[in-house]
Amino acid sequence: MKKIFFAALMVLVPALAGAAEKFDLEGYASRFDSIPIGVIKFKPTNANLLKENFPWDIIENNLDLSGKFGVVALPEFDSASLAKRGIGVYVDGKYTLEADGKTVLIECYLRDVATRSLLVGKKYKGELKALRNMVHRYSNELVELLFSDRGIFESRILYVRAEGARKNIGIMDFDGHNRARLTNDNIINIFPTFADKSTVLWTSYQRGKPDIYRGSITAGTSKIFIQEKAMVVSPDVSTIDGTIAYASSQSGSLNVYTCSPDGSKKRQLTFSRGGIDTAPSWSPNGYQIAFTSDRGGGPQIYVMDATGSNQRRVTFEGRYNDTPAWSPKGDKIAYASLGDNYQYNIWTVSPDGNDAKMVANLPGANENPTWSPDGTLIAFVNTAGGRSDMYIVKHDGTRLRRITKTGDVRMPKWSHFW
Amino acid sequence: MIKAVKAIIFSCTVIVAALSSTGCSQLTVLRVKELNAVRDSIRADQQAYFNKLLEEQSKLLAEQRNASEMLRLLRADQLARFNEMDRKTSAISNNLSDSQSRLSRLDQKTSEFSRRLDQKLASEEDAANQRKAQQDKLFEIAMSDFNAGRYDLSISGFLDFLRQFPDAAQASDAEYWAAESRFAKKEYEAAEKEYMAFIKKYPDGQRSCSVFYKLGLAYEHQDKKKSMEMVWKNLLQRCPDSQEAQSVKARMGQ
């Protein structure tokens, strides 16, 4: 994948520090769970107009999807309209598309609604095709400024692109844009996961049975990584030390194993006989693993130490619970649950088995939950009428948003903060 | 009767006056004598009537006085009775009022007692609830620190929990997770001590298989092979069907 470059040019705050002091940005931000903010259409500085990827639209969409903002978009600044909605700050800006149509400069300003004074300003310059990345960077900086937290706008999502019988691995920005293929085979490639920022592991049927492959996002290369006579599926990588958990039928039944980042030091953690232990998901501290097991009858979510000890069941509701995903904050495990209505919905539960609650129940099947790197959002796939698309919902079940409309998205896996 | 006598006297006087005025003197003298006799007779009758009337009147007056006296006595008696009744009614009324007052005071005391009892129960329940909520929160925070990999905080959190709530239901969990935090932090010597203490305290506890296994791992990390083998051998005897026993067998190549 070709790299694209842009640069954040300068921070305008120092020149206008006096204005920033007048508006208590921290105090304003601390008053809300969801900060009210206005986004005003940027103005061009010359006659060259953008035809797509309008920065103000991207900012509006980013802030809305994050679940951290209540966004109002306006074509022009209108203090009465903003103040009426209780909005204290807004973003406006301008852009300069150079005559060659390849380079763009954007200037983004966070201002106080009452005085229109500048609180924080940033300039970014780069290739036009990097425009979305520039705006994502600015959105991250806004979140950092207002929440003292890292923004998720530069995070990416791996997914399985369903093309009939073919299943290939793809990658997209968190907002569903900037999609790219990582594999392009006539076979089945499934269960993608990030090994690090630029490396992906997934299960491929390249050799006629499932093995785990490793590929480079940037170089587009791939090679077999865990190869056994048995089937090897569902890799997940610890963000602490890179240890890989996966499921293998090496022992005759599908069980959970771990191995070192280089594939050595394989260790069996579960010992089901005739049953299925699969779909491991690391806790963010790298000390525990959630997994699916049918040892109690139907598939349920279990948790164990990464040594295989202290295995305990954490879900007790639902006929069939699968695909656990441990929150990056460590406090919740999301999973897909087949309820009494024979429909899969997305649920969360605490690692101690308490507080199980449903967070998404769109018509159709809701499956494969995956957490945003900041642990506030859950992406999942909804399959209805033969089409599969990705949605995002806040961990408390609010602010459900549709991300893709192509109907071919399966098994999303959100990146971590690297 | 007096009116009738007066009317007769008046009629005789009118007749005498009429005869006198006619001028028949001889006859007149004779007639005057007769008339005087009649008059005297009438006067006597009149007097007798008067006397009788007076007598009757006296009798009537005496009867009236008797009747009045009787009436007075009756009224006095009635009054006395009424007064007595009044007094009794008043006494009853006072008693009633006193009873009501007592009842009211009793009611107040009962409701005050009831209120105090409710308050006491509520405050005891509140205090118990608050204490439970506080201990749950403390445990939850320590656990979330553990889950997020903040082991220093989780260790101090679990130890703080044990200091504050040594008899809580989660006390054994807190001890277990404190030891786990040490293990996760790779402080194997400290973890070993805490696992040992846990096994001594809860030898047949729900987590004993897991703790035996972890103790063996702590020994392994410290290169205490003999101790490790001894503990795991013990584990295989105590928990032969556990996942930990399977792990031990896999690790020891059995």
Side-chain angles (χ1 to χ4, degrees):
Chain A
M1 186 184 296
K2 201 174 173 182
K3 286 189 177 176
I4 42 181
F5 295 99
F6 67 89
L9 291 183
M10 58 187 291
V11 181
L12 300 179
V13 173
L16 292 140
E21 279 167 15
K22 282 179 190 168
F23 187 87
D24 180 10
L25 199 54
E26 200 179 329
Y28 177 72
S30 67
R31 280 164 46 206
F32 307 98
D33 286 335
S34 178
I35 294 180
I37 192 167
V39 179
I40 313 299
K41 189 176 174 182
F42 285 24
K43 293 187 174 11
T45 61
N46 59 26
N48 303 324
L49 303 182
L50 288 170
K51 294 184 176 68
E52 58 182 359
N53 293 328
F54 304 113
W56 56 95
D57 284 346
I58 300 169
I59 292 171
E60 179 203 349
N61 190 48
N62 279 352
L63 301 188
D64 175 62
L65 288 179
S66 74
K68 294 174 186 282
F69 295 88
V71 191
V72 171
L74 294 174
E76 293 285 342
F77 175 76
D78 177 351
S79 64
S81 177
L82 292 170
K84 192 172 70 184
R85 294 173 163 101
I87 295 172
V89 293
Y90 68 100
V91 174
D92 69 357
K94 47 191 177 179
Y95 68 91
T96 306
L97 181 61
E98 292 185 0
D100 62 3
K102 290 180 180 172
T103 310
V104 65
L105 169 74
I106 58 167
E107 298 171 46
C108 309
Y109 306 117
L110 179 68
R111 297 180 193 274
D112 163 14
V113 169
T115 63
R116 300 189 70 170
S117 55
L118 179 65
L119 303 175
V120 180
K122 292 262 175 159
K123 282 185 182 180
Y124 304 86
K125 189 174 183 181
E127 296 173 46
L128 181 60
K129 58 188 173 186
L131 178 57
R132 294 192 72 87
N133 300 52
M134 294 182 216
V135 180
H136 289 329
R137 172 73 56 86
Y138 176 67
S139 304
N140 276 344
E141 286 173 4
L142 265 183
V143 166
E144 204 163 327
L145 181 73
L146 294 168
F147 289 91
S148 302
D149 204 359
R150 290 183 71 178
I152 59 167
F153 309 111
E154 290 179 284
S155 63
R156 308 202 75 193
I157 294 175
L158 291 167
Y159 68 100
V160 171
R161 186 171 175 153
E163 302 160 309
R166 299 172 67 205
K167 304 279 185 291
N168 277 299
I169 307 299
I171 189 166
M172 61 184 160
D173 289 351
F174 91 104
D175 58 2
H177 287 266
N178 199 13
R179 293 172 69 162
R181 280 174 184 275
L182 298 182
T183 66
N184 191 11
D185 306 321
N186 270 322
I187 52 163
I188 293 173
N189 296 286
I190 49 176
F191 300 126
T193 192
F194 286 92
D196 57 44
K197 189 177 180 181
S198 58
T199 312
V200 183
L201 298 180
W202 73 93
T203 299
S204 175
Y205 283 71
Q206 190 88 45
R207 298 191 315 138
K209 68 165 199 59
D211 296 304
I212 292 179
Y213 279 67
R214 185 184 182 102
S216 165
I217 295 171
T218 46
T221 56
S222 67
K223 62 178 182 181
I224 195 160
F225 179 62
I226 301 176
Q227 179 183 359
E228 291 174 357
K229 286 180 184 172
M231 67 167 159
V232 195
V233 295
S234 292
D236 191 50
V237 181
S238 163
T239 53
I240 299 297
D241 59 5
T243 302
I244 298 156
Y246 60 97
S248 167
S249 61
Q250 191 183 350
S251 65
S253 296
L254 205 55
N255 276 299
V256 176
Y257 291 72
T258 54
C259 69
S260 299
D262 61 1
S264 64
K265 295 183 184 169
K266 290 176 187 167
R267 181 154 287 154
Q268 186 174 353
L269 303 186
T270 67
F271 298 86
S272 76
R273 289 186 183 130
I276 291 175
D277 289 351
T278 187
S281 171
W282 282 96
S283 66
N285 62 3
Y287 194 74
Q288 297 180 90
I289 296 170
F291 63 103
T292 304
S293 174
D294 65 354
R295 66 186 66 177
Q300 295 290 343
I301 308 301
Y302 287 72
V303 166
M304 63 180 165
D305 295 350
T307 58
S309 65
N310 195 19
Q311 296 185 14
R312 66 252 185 218
R313 182 173 166 178
V314 294
T315 58
F316 298 90
E317 292 181 50
R319 295 164 182 272
Y320 191 114
N321 296 325
D322 195 10
T323 59
W326 208 309
S327 152
K329 286 183 177 173
D331 59 340
K332 296 283 175 194
I333 296 167
Y335 58 99
S337 176
L338 183 69
D340 289 337
N341 58 356
Y342 293 94
Q343 181 185 309
Y344 278 103
N345 292 317
I346 304 300
W347 285 63
T348 61
V349 67
S350 293
D352 61 5
N354 290 321
D355 304 325
K357 60 183 166 196
M358 185 166 63
V359 293
N361 63 340
L362 286 170
N366 304 288
E367 295 171 279
N368 301 111
T370 179
W371 290 87
S372 62
D374 64 353
T376 60
L377 303 172
I378 299 169
F380 63 96
V381 163
N382 172 260
T383 306
R387 295 174 63 80
S388 298
D389 276 303
M390 193 176 81
Y391 288 74
I392 283 176
V393 67
K394 255 183 111 169
H395 64 90
D396 58 4
T398 61
R399 298 186 72 138
L400 179 71
R401 301 285 188 271
R402 185 173 185 169
I403 300 298
T404 67
K405 292 181 179 174
T406 50
D408 60 350
V409 177
R410 301 266 171 89
M411 297 184 182
K413 182 76 179 184
W414 214 319
S415 65
H416 304 286
F417 286 133
W418 305 107
Chain B
M1 186 179 281
I2 293 167
K3 274 184 181 178
V5 172
K6 279 181 179 176
I8 293 165
I9 294 166
F10 179 72
S11 303
C12 293
T13 309
V14 170
I15 292 164
V16 170
L19 288 172
S20 304
S21 63
T22 57
C24 304
S25 54
Q26 290 291 324
L27 188 64
T28 302
V29 172
L30 286 174
R31 293 304 295 173
V32 167
K33 284 183 180 175
E34 279 178 30
L35 284 170
N36 280 340
V38 169
R39 186 193 66 191
D40 289 341
S41 166
I42 289 170
R43 275 185 179 170
D45 289 344
Q46 188 183 9
Q47 189 58 47
Y49 279 126
F50 268 123
N51 290 339
K52 205 171 182 180
L53 276 172
L54 282 172
E55 193 183 340
E56 286 296 322
Q57 190 181 16
S58 294
K59 281 181 184 173
L60 281 171
L61 281 171
E63 280 176 14
Q64 194 182 8
R65 272 199 299 275
N66 285 342
S68 290
E69 185 58 21
M70 283 297 290
L71 193 62
R72 193 184 64 77
L73 286 172
L74 278 171
R75 285 183 65 188
D77 184 53
Q78 196 180 27
L79 195 64
R81 282 168 190 263
F82 273 129
N83 283 341
E84 179 66 10
M85 277 170 69
D86 242 12
R87 195 183 59 74
K88 285 183 177 172
T89 309
S90 170
I92 290 168
S93 178
N94 283 341
N95 281 344
L96 190 65
S97 164
D98 191 39
S99 298
Q100 275 176 341
S101 163
R102 284 182 187 196
L103 269 175
S104 167
R105 280 202 300 275
L106 197 64
D107 225 25
Q108 272 179 358
K109 279 186 181 175
T110 309
S111 63
E112 176 67 10
F113 178 75
S114 182
R115 191 179 62 79
R116 283 187 189 174
L117 190 67
D118 283 350
Q119 267 183 349
K120 193 164 184 289
L121 286 173
S123 65
E124 276 174 8
E125 199 179 327
D126 276 356
N129 285 342
Q130 273 180 5
R131 194 172 159 77
K132 180 78 173 67
Q134 196 188 351
Q135 83 185 37
D136 285 350
K137 193 70 195 167
L138 200 58
F139 190 88
E140 190 187 318
I141 289 168
M143 204 66 227
S144 68
D145 283 332
F146 178 86
N147 285 331
R150 298 184 288 265
Y151 300 123
D152 284 331
L153 289 176
S154 67
I155 290 168
S156 62
F158 288 124
L159 295 182
D160 194 28
F161 179 92
L162 288 166
R163 267 192 298 276
Q164 287 192 48
F165 308 104
D167 302 321
Q170 298 131 301
S172 68
D173 284 346
E175 285 175 71
Y176 175 80
W177 288 110
E180 286 288 272
S181 302
R182 299 274 189 207
F183 188 91
K185 216 180 153 213
K186 298 184 176 16
E187 293 177 351
Y188 298 116
E189 198 179 336
E192 174 200 321
K193 284 177 186 161
E194 295 195 11
Y195 287 135
M196 285 291 284
F198 189 91
I199 286 170
K200 275 185 187 166
K201 203 166 176 182
Y202 312 102
D204 301 313
Q206 201 183 352
R207 297 187 191 278
S208 60
C209 303
S210 175
V211 172
F212 272 111
Y213 181 61
K214 284 301 190 52
L215 180 59
L217 286 179
Y219 284 135
E220 187 183 42
H221 282 292
Q222 297 174 82
D223 285 329
K224 297 179 179 174
K225 298 280 181 200
K226 280 188 180 173
S227 300
M228 178 197 81
E229 284 171 9
M230 195 176 71
V231 167
W232 280 355
K233 203 173 169 183
N234 198 345
L235 165 67
L236 293 174
Q237 285 169 352
R238 280 171 169 263
C239 320
D241 301 323
S242 66
Q243 289 284 330
E244 285 80 7
Q246 301 294 330
S247 293
V248 165
K249 284 176 192 168
R251 276 176 176 269
M252 297 178 88
Q254 289 180 14

